[in-house]
Amino acid sequence: MKAPEFDYARPASLDEALRLLADGGEDARVIAGGQSLVPALNLRLAAPPVVVDIGGLDPLRGIEAVGDGLRIGALVRHAELARSALVAARCPLLTQAIAHVAHPAIRNRGTFGGSLAQADPAAELPACALALDAIMIVASRSGERRVAAQDFFRGVYETALAAGEILVAVEIPALGADRRFGFAEFSRRRGDFAIVGVAAAATKSGGRLASPRIAFFGTGDRPQLARAAAAALDGAANDTNTRKAAREKLAADLDPVEDSTASRAMRLHLAGEALEQAIDALWREAA
Amino acid sequence: MTERTSPLSALDRPNSYIGRAVPRPNLGRLLEGRGQYVSDISLPRMAHVVFVRSPYAHARIVSIDAADARKGKGVVAVVTGAELANVCTPWVGVLTHLKGLKSPPQHAIAVDRACWVGEAVAAVVAASRAEAEDAAARVLVEYEELPVTADMDDALAAGAAPIHPDFGDNIAFERRLDVGEVDAAFAQADAVAEAEFVFARHTGVTLEARSIVADWNPGEQRLTVYQGTQAPHMMQNIIARHLGLAEAQVRVLCKDVGGSFGIKVHVYADDMATVALSKLLKRPVKHVADRVESFLTDIHARDHRCKGRVAVRKDGTILAFEIDDRTGIGPYSVYPRTSAIEANQVVNLVGGPYAVKNYRARARVAFQNKNVTCQYRAVGHPIACSVTEGLVDRAAAAIGMDPVEIRRRNLLPDDCYPAESAAGMKFEALSHHAALEKILAMMDYEALRAEQARLREQGVYRGVGIASFIEVTNPSAAFYGVGGARISSQDGAAVRLDASGAIVCQTSITEQGQGSEAIIAQVVATAVGAPLERVRVILGDTDNVPYGGGTWASRGAGIGGEAAWRAGRALRDNILSVAAAILQTEAAALDIAGGEIVDAEGHARIGLDEIARIAYFRPDTLPPDFQAELIATRHYAPRKFPFAFTNGVQAASIEVDVRTGFVKLLRHWVVEDCGRVINPQLVDEQIRGGVVQGLGAALFEHCRYDERGQMLNANMADYLVPMAGEMPDIEVAHVETPTQESELGAKGAGEAGTAGAAAAVANAVNDALAPFGAVISEIPLTPELVLRAIGAIS
């Protein structure tokens, strides 16, 4: 199929982009890597009057150290994230997760900000943002606001971004030297969207894990924190009973729907397997 | 080993290209991006057609309001089914040798009623594809929904409402076969194993979608059609017939084609609508299916449910097979090859590798409100092979025998030929045992079994699966011709020496990426004695090649190759006559090697360029009564056997993660016997590609429909084609039993990979799951199926 007609603009400044977006109204769309929007256009699932290409906005590029944390520009491509030594050192969860995002050709084009703003419930990066307690920096003509990942993802392809707003960067808070990570995902083929996956973080404290954040994807309409399972792990040692207890809590934490990819029972089962793999990883790293 | 030794022939000459992996002549052009696919063709005044498609699986078309669409930018015309029916007559997809097969007339665009989601109900022609899509969205179609029969068993149930009321039921075709003493065999059996095998509906996803450009020229009253097709002459006949033209008024050109797999050998309503629109509008019209259209309207295949039983004695002797197969084919039998062939093939092929005399089969083919199904790579083979080999493994388990041993005891002996199967299939010469022993050595069967036992103790569940198979290739007229279809079972080749001493071959077979052009060049170069680089092959143009069938059903090398061989040999003889006249010697004392006429001692006497120069420019120097004939044409059709059956065996090593249900393909082996191997690299890659498609069926591919007949995954994200990351290494080897029917001795190799891959994997998975007492009889083998089978989820 061919995309319906739309106006295309490639502004040179953020101000101009925000003005174009505001003028375009509710249905105006931002394009960066185009890995989600272009197929949607060609399938005529989206018919925006104007597409604002933010690819020329240099301030939205780059990965910087901010204090002990990170600031990742919205235009940072997946491939760049995967190669970044800074990310690998400060936030290895992202380095691990990015290897599961689609295929190299898509990673060369797709952007970090684009994946978060797209908010596919089966995508890896929104769950990572949630596990990392990331802060979304959102710009509009009335200025900048900061939205916690927790509040950013609102539903299937739905975020806190209002009409006229652009996600410009993401801040990953300082994670501390003892923060450990685990990532697991099940997809039918390498690079596919997940049936179920998990991004987990916890702090190594003596022989125990503290303050775990366990974010699932593919289990609902948005990435979801498994709070009860996390509570079961918080402060506990590495033993079979804790693991079993945490896994059992998932039925309370998650309410996956049945769709043509997997049944509810299948998703819950795989969520349990993903959790156990993530716990293994947290302990392996903590050892 | 039973490799047959035949006396040395011209095929074995020292400078022969037969049996050598030479580079494909079209490779450079394709790699330079200079291929010419239909998408690349753009003609003056060319318009693009887009089809408005039914969103309902079954609905009456109450009205079509195109007034608003006609106002759209660039719109040339909006045409309904009733309007197009004035230009293009409907067709009926039946063949007389499939007794009782019925199907209603099908129109290029639906008239009054749509019978599946995706059936075209109107055509919008505009200056660009995008404008046509814009206007298509403005065509207002009012539908009245009709009851939907999506599931094949609902369609076959007693009292089910017929989709086509005139027929009284939904049974398009039924076949029964009862050979030997089946009931007595089951009564005598020490064990009986049975299962219901379920095969998902899937499709052949070609890299290049279906595409066509039709150009009606009113000035010369002639239609030129550029199409990615496997059978240009068949299309020429059908287009002419349904547009009311003489065949001579239709030219079909088939340039580069990006994969076919049987998908592009059928008559599609979209294609007929496009040619009819060109005639109606008197201008070129193009249609290139997009991916969604491809999933909704390219033929689907498989979708079988087959109950099977096997009777076996304690000593491993298989006494009888019995099957009851059902399949759903959509609302129409596809034209002109029909949609009954796959079920018919299942009946023909079950039990085929084995010396079993008692066989009973029933097959029922049902109409339903889903997209049509028809012949896709390895028609019927994967079903027959999975049912047979699944039953053989279950029989072995029932009597506690190793799967290899039961095969050794029942496979047709290598010295029993000619032989005939219980289903009546005639085998000239097969090599089941040689193939089995070869694959066991390749895979080191005993070592795999030892490793399996060792790992099982550590909670790692590996499995090994074996599947022997037979493969239908080189079909004679028995396939379609006897049923009344004008589908040629013969092929032709014209080989000439041009004025510079180069060789040109016009062949009626086609190239879709598998290397037809290369093997014809190899055959001709060898037959004539010319260097390969001096041979050019012309194919895919009904104005410029001999009449023939094309490339499908694994017939290109065996039939088209033989025609080219015979034409090349005839040209060689003609060239030697000219050489003998020039050199004043006997032709029998001369040969051609490396493009030179050589004497009995192998000394070069005169080059092909010099022969051509004298013959074309100085015939005055030749004897007065001598006329050089530097073109030779030959045709070939197999006559002694209905099909040149080949055989082979596949084996799979897999690991099941019993925590997640995921099946990991570790290694895969194939030994097959396609007779004379012309180009080992092309054959091996053909086998590997076929295996990958079979593995796709085994684990991934599935056209999922809901009960309302809506396809749920008509896109490349949700329809899972097999991808490199999940594929195992595939080792291929051959046993060569050339057919004695042709000089070349080549049989087909296109179906073998697909025929047995899923059966080998399914047997391997069940082998891995044996400690759990779990047996799965359904493909694709999804993680969820595995977890349910072992009771991990319910």
Side-chain angles (χ1 to χ4, degrees), chain B residues 52-103:
Chain B
V52 179
R53 299 186 183 278
S54 172
Y56 300 109
H58 199 192
R60 195 169 72 81
I61 301 163
V62 178
S63 65
I64 296 175
D65 179 357
D68 186 47
R70 287 200 175 92
K71 292 179 201 149
K73 189 178 153 208
V75 172
V76 174
V78 181
V79 180
T80 64
E83 289 161 347
L84 203 66
N86 295 323
V87 189
C88 181
T89 58
W91 52 84
V92 177
V94 299
L95 288 168
T96 56
H97 66 313
L98 297 165
K99 289 193 177 47
L101 172 61
K102 63 197 181 196
S103 187

Coordinates of all heavy atoms in Angstrom, one line a residue, chain B residues 52-103:
Chain B
V52 N -11.1 -2.9 -4.5 CA -11.9 -2.8 -3.3 C -12.2 -4.2 -2.9 O -12.7 -5.0 -3.7 CB -13.1 -2.0 -3.6 CG1 -14.0 -1.9 -2.3 CG2 -12.8 -0.6 -4.1
R53 N -11.9 -4.6 -1.7 CA -12.0 -6.0 -1.3 C -13.0 -6.2 -0.2 O -13.2 -5.3 0.7 CB -10.6 -6.5 -0.8 CG -9.6 -6.5 -1.9 CD -8.3 -7.1 -1.5 NE -7.3 -7.0 -2.6 CZ -7.2 -7.8 -3.7 NH1 -8.1 -8.7 -3.8 NH2 -6.3 -7.6 -4.6
S54 N -13.7 -7.3 -0.2 CA -14.7 -7.5 0.7 C -14.2 -7.7 2.1 O -13.2 -8.4 2.4 CB -15.5 -8.8 0.4 OG -16.4 -9.2 1.5
P55 N -14.7 -6.9 3.1 CA -14.3 -7.1 4.5 C -15.0 -8.2 5.2 O -14.8 -8.6 6.3 CB -14.7 -5.8 5.1 CG -15.9 -5.3 4.3 CD -15.7 -5.8 2.9
Y56 N -16.0 -8.8 4.5 CA -16.8 -9.9 5.0 C -16.4 -11.2 4.3 O -16.1 -11.3 3.1 CB -18.3 -9.7 4.8 CG -18.7 -8.4 5.5 CD1 -19.1 -7.3 4.8 CD2 -18.8 -8.3 6.9 CE1 -19.5 -6.1 5.4 CE2 -19.2 -7.2 7.6 CZ -19.5 -6.1 6.8 OH -19.9 -4.9 7.4
A57 N -16.5 -12.3 5.1 CA -16.2 -13.6 4.5 C -17.3 -14.2 3.7 O -17.1 -15.0 2.8 CB -15.9 -14.6 5.7
H58 N -18.5 -13.6 3.9 CA -19.6 -14.1 3.0 C -20.7 -12.9 3.1 O -21.2 -12.6 4.2 CB -20.2 -15.4 3.6 CG -21.1 -16.1 2.6 ND1 -21.9 -17.2 2.9 CD2 -21.2 -15.9 1.2 CE1 -22.5 -17.6 1.8 NE2 -22.1 -16.9 0.8
A59 N -20.9 -12.3 2.0 CA -21.9 -11.2 2.0 C -22.5 -11.0 0.6 O -21.8 -11.2 -0.4 CB -21.2 -9.9 2.5
R60 N -23.7 -10.6 0.6 CA -24.3 -10.2 -0.7 C -23.9 -8.7 -0.9 O -23.9 -7.9 0.0 CB -25.9 -10.3 -0.6 CG -26.6 -10.3 -1.9 CD -28.0 -10.7 -1.7 NE -28.8 -9.6 -1.0 CZ -29.3 -8.5 -1.6 NH1 -29.2 -8.3 -2.9 NH2 -30.0 -7.7 -0.9
I61 N -23.6 -8.5 -2.2 CA -23.3 -7.1 -2.5 C -24.6 -6.4 -2.9 O -25.2 -6.7 -4.0 CB -22.3 -7.0 -3.7 CG1 -21.0 -7.8 -3.3 CG2 -21.9 -5.6 -4.1 CD1 -20.1 -8.2 -4.5
V62 N -25.1 -5.5 -2.0 CA -26.4 -4.9 -2.3 C -26.2 -3.8 -3.3 O -27.0 -3.7 -4.2 CB -26.9 -4.3 -0.9 CG1 -28.3 -3.6 -1.2 CG2 -27.1 -5.5 0.1
S63 N -25.2 -3.0 -3.1 CA -25.0 -1.9 -4.1 C -23.6 -1.4 -4.0 O -22.9 -1.5 -3.0 CB -26.0 -0.7 -3.8 OG -25.6 -0.2 -2.5
I64 N -23.2 -0.8 -5.1 CA -21.8 -0.2 -5.2 C -22.0 1.2 -5.7 O -22.5 1.4 -6.8 CB -20.9 -1.0 -6.1 CG1 -20.7 -2.4 -5.5 CG2 -19.5 -0.3 -6.2 CD1 -19.8 -3.3 -6.4
D65 N -21.6 2.2 -4.9 CA -21.7 3.6 -5.3 C -20.3 4.2 -5.5 O -19.6 4.4 -4.5 CB -22.5 4.4 -4.2 CG -22.6 5.9 -4.5 OD1 -22.1 6.3 -5.6 OD2 -23.2 6.6 -3.7
A66 N -20.0 4.4 -6.8 CA -18.6 4.8 -7.1 C -18.6 6.3 -7.5 O -17.6 6.8 -8.0 CB -18.1 4.0 -8.2
A67 N -19.7 7.0 -7.3 CA -19.8 8.4 -7.8 C -18.7 9.3 -7.2 O -18.0 10.0 -7.9 CB -21.2 9.0 -7.6
D68 N -18.6 9.1 -5.9 CA -17.6 10.0 -5.2 C -16.2 9.6 -5.6 O -15.3 10.4 -5.8 CB -17.8 9.8 -3.7 CG -16.9 10.7 -2.9 OD1 -16.8 11.9 -3.2 OD2 -16.3 10.3 -1.9
A69 N -15.9 8.2 -5.7 CA -14.6 7.8 -6.0 C -14.2 8.3 -7.4 O -13.0 8.6 -7.6 CB -14.6 6.2 -6.0
R70 N -15.1 8.3 -8.3 CA -14.8 8.7 -9.7 C -14.3 10.2 -9.7 O -13.6 10.6 -10.7 CB -16.0 8.6 -10.6 CG -16.4 7.1 -10.9 CD -17.2 7.0 -12.2 NE -17.4 5.5 -12.5 CZ -18.4 4.8 -12.0 NH1 -19.3 5.3 -11.3 NH2 -18.4 3.5 -12.3
K71 N -14.7 11.0 -8.7 CA -14.2 12.4 -8.7 C -12.8 12.5 -8.2 O -12.2 13.5 -8.2 CB -15.1 13.2 -7.7 CG -16.5 13.4 -8.3 CD -17.3 14.2 -7.2 CE -18.8 14.0 -7.4 NZ -19.5 14.0 -6.1
G72 N -12.2 11.4 -7.7 CA -10.9 11.4 -7.1 C -9.8 11.8 -8.1 O -9.9 11.6 -9.3
K73 N -8.8 12.4 -7.6 CA -7.7 12.9 -8.4 C -7.0 11.7 -9.1 O -6.7 10.6 -8.5 CB -6.6 13.5 -7.5 CG -5.5 14.2 -8.2 CD -4.6 14.9 -7.2 CE -3.1 15.0 -7.7 NZ -2.1 14.9 -6.7
G74 N -6.9 11.8 -10.4 CA -6.1 10.8 -11.2 C -7.0 9.6 -11.6 O -6.4 8.7 -12.3
V75 N -8.2 9.6 -11.2 CA -9.0 8.3 -11.4 C -9.4 8.2 -12.9 O -9.9 9.1 -13.5 CB -10.3 8.3 -10.5 CG1 -11.2 7.2 -10.9 CG2 -9.9 8.2 -9.0
V76 N -9.1 7.0 -13.4 CA -9.5 6.7 -14.8 C -10.8 6.0 -14.9 O -11.6 6.3 -15.7 CB -8.4 5.8 -15.4 CG1 -8.7 5.3 -16.8 CG2 -7.0 6.5 -15.4
A77 N -11.0 5.1 -14.0 CA -12.3 4.3 -14.0 C -12.5 3.6 -12.7 O -11.5 3.2 -12.0 CB -12.3 3.3 -15.2
V78 N -13.8 3.4 -12.4 CA -14.1 2.5 -11.3 C -15.0 1.4 -12.0 O -16.0 1.8 -12.7 CB -14.9 3.2 -10.2 CG1 -15.2 2.2 -9.1 CG2 -14.0 4.3 -9.6
V79 N -14.7 0.1 -11.8 CA -15.3 -0.9 -12.6 C -15.8 -2.0 -11.6 O -15.1 -2.4 -10.7 CB -14.4 -1.5 -13.6 CG1 -15.1 -2.6 -14.4 CG2 -13.8 -0.5 -14.6
T80 N -17.1 -2.4 -11.8 CA -17.6 -3.4 -10.9 C -17.5 -4.8 -11.6 O -17.2 -4.9 -12.8 CB -19.1 -3.2 -10.6 OG1 -19.8 -3.3 -11.8 CG2 -19.3 -1.8 -10.0
G81 N -17.8 -5.8 -10.8 CA -17.8 -7.2 -11.3 C -18.7 -7.4 -12.5 O -18.3 -8.0 -13.5
A82 N -19.9 -6.9 -12.4 CA -20.9 -7.0 -13.5 C -20.4 -6.4 -14.8 O -20.5 -6.9 -15.9 CB -22.2 -6.5 -13.1
E83 N -19.8 -5.2 -14.6 CA -19.3 -4.5 -15.8 C -18.1 -5.2 -16.4 O -18.0 -5.3 -17.7 CB -18.8 -3.0 -15.4 CG -20.0 -2.1 -15.1 CD -19.6 -0.9 -14.3 OE1 -18.4 -0.8 -13.7 OE2 -20.4 0.0 -14.1
L84 N -17.2 -5.8 -15.6 CA -16.1 -6.5 -16.1 C -16.5 -7.8 -16.8 O -15.8 -8.3 -17.7 CB -15.0 -6.7 -15.0 CG -13.6 -6.8 -15.6 CD1 -13.1 -5.6 -16.2 CD2 -12.6 -7.3 -14.5
A85 N -17.6 -8.4 -16.3 CA -18.0 -9.7 -16.8 C -18.3 -9.5 -18.3 O -18.4 -10.5 -19.1 CB -19.2 -10.2 -16.1
N86 N -18.6 -8.3 -18.8 CA -18.8 -8.1 -20.3 C -17.5 -8.3 -21.1 O -17.6 -8.5 -22.3 CB -19.4 -6.7 -20.5 CG -20.7 -6.5 -19.9 OD1 -21.5 -7.5 -19.9 ND2 -21.0 -5.3 -19.3
V87 N -16.4 -8.2 -20.4 CA -15.1 -8.3 -21.1 C -14.4 -9.6 -20.8 O -13.7 -10.1 -21.7 CB -14.1 -7.1 -20.6 CG1 -12.9 -7.1 -21.4 CG2 -14.9 -5.8 -20.6
C88 N -14.7 -10.2 -19.7 CA -13.9 -11.4 -19.3 C -14.9 -12.4 -18.8 O -15.7 -12.2 -17.8 CB -13.0 -11.0 -18.2 SG -12.0 -12.4 -17.5
T89 N -15.0 -13.6 -19.4 CA -15.9 -14.6 -19.0 C -15.4 -15.3 -17.8 O -14.2 -15.4 -17.5 CB -16.1 -15.7 -20.1 OG1 -14.8 -16.2 -20.4 CG2 -16.7 -15.0 -21.4
P90 N -16.4 -15.9 -17.0 CA -16.0 -16.6 -15.7 C -15.4 -17.9 -16.1 O -15.5 -18.4 -17.2 CB -17.3 -16.7 -15.0 CG -18.4 -16.7 -16.0 CD -17.8 -15.8 -17.1
W91 N -14.8 -18.5 -15.1 CA -14.1 -19.8 -15.3 C -14.5 -20.8 -14.2 O -15.1 -20.4 -13.1 CB -12.6 -19.7 -15.2 CG -12.1 -19.0 -14.0 CD1 -11.8 -19.5 -12.8 CD2 -11.8 -17.5 -13.9 NE1 -11.4 -18.5 -12.0 CE2 -11.4 -17.3 -12.6 CE3 -11.9 -16.5 -14.8 CZ2 -11.0 -16.0 -12.2 CZ3 -11.5 -15.2 -14.4 CH2 -11.1 -15.0 -13.1
V92 N -14.3 -22.1 -14.4 CA -14.7 -23.1 -13.5 C -13.4 -24.0 -13.3 O -12.9 -24.6 -14.2 CB -15.9 -24.0 -14.0 CG1 -16.2 -25.1 -13.0 CG2 -17.1 -23.1 -14.2
G93 N -13.0 -24.1 -12.1 CA -11.8 -24.9 -11.8 C -12.0 -26.3 -11.5 O -11.8 -26.8 -10.4
V94 N -12.3 -27.1 -12.6 CA -12.5 -28.5 -12.5 C -11.6 -29.2 -13.5 O -11.3 -28.6 -14.6 CB -13.9 -29.0 -12.6 CG1 -14.8 -28.4 -11.5 CG2 -14.5 -28.7 -14.0
L95 N -11.3 -30.5 -13.3 CA -10.6 -31.3 -14.3 C -11.4 -32.6 -14.4 O -11.8 -33.1 -13.3 CB -9.2 -31.6 -13.9 CG -8.2 -30.4 -13.9 CD1 -6.9 -30.7 -13.2 CD2 -7.9 -30.0 -15.4
T96 N -11.5 -33.2 -15.6 CA -12.4 -34.3 -15.7 C -11.8 -35.6 -15.1 O -12.6 -36.5 -14.7 CB -12.6 -34.6 -17.2 OG1 -11.4 -34.8 -17.9 CG2 -13.4 -33.5 -17.9
H97 N -10.5 -35.7 -14.9 CA -9.9 -36.9 -14.3 C -10.1 -36.9 -12.8 O -9.8 -37.9 -12.1 CB -8.5 -37.2 -14.7 CG -7.5 -36.2 -14.2 ND1 -7.6 -34.8 -14.3 CD2 -6.3 -36.4 -13.7 CE1 -6.6 -34.2 -13.8 NE2 -5.7 -35.1 -13.4
L98 N -10.5 -35.8 -12.2 CA -10.8 -35.8 -10.8 C -12.3 -35.9 -10.7 O -13.0 -34.9 -10.6 CB -10.3 -34.5 -10.1 CG -8.8 -34.3 -10.2 CD1 -8.4 -32.9 -9.8 CD2 -8.1 -35.3 -9.2
K99 N -12.8 -37.2 -10.7 CA -14.2 -37.4 -10.9 C -15.0 -36.8 -9.8 O -14.8 -37.1 -8.6 CB -14.4 -38.9 -11.0 CG -13.9 -39.5 -12.3 CD -14.3 -40.9 -12.6 CE -13.8 -41.4 -13.9 NZ -12.4 -41.1 -14.2
G100 N -16.1 -36.1 -10.2 CA -17.0 -35.6 -9.2 C -16.6 -34.2 -8.7 O -17.4 -33.5 -8.0
L101 N -15.4 -33.7 -9.1 CA -15.0 -32.4 -8.6 C -15.9 -31.3 -9.1 O -16.2 -31.3 -10.3 CB -13.5 -32.1 -9.1 CG -13.0 -30.7 -8.8 CD1 -13.0 -30.4 -7.3 CD2 -11.6 -30.5 -9.4
K102 N -16.4 -30.5 -8.2 CA -17.3 -29.4 -8.7 C -16.8 -28.1 -8.1 O -16.2 -28.0 -7.1 CB -18.7 -29.8 -8.2 CG -18.9 -29.8 -6.7 CD -20.2 -30.5 -6.3 CE -20.4 -30.5 -4.8 NZ -21.4 -31.5 -4.3
S103 N -17.2 -27.1 -8.8 CA -16.9 -25.7 -8.4 C -17.7 -24.8 -9.2 O -18.0 -25.0 -10.4 CB -15.4 -25.4 -8.6 OG -15.0 -24.1 -8.0

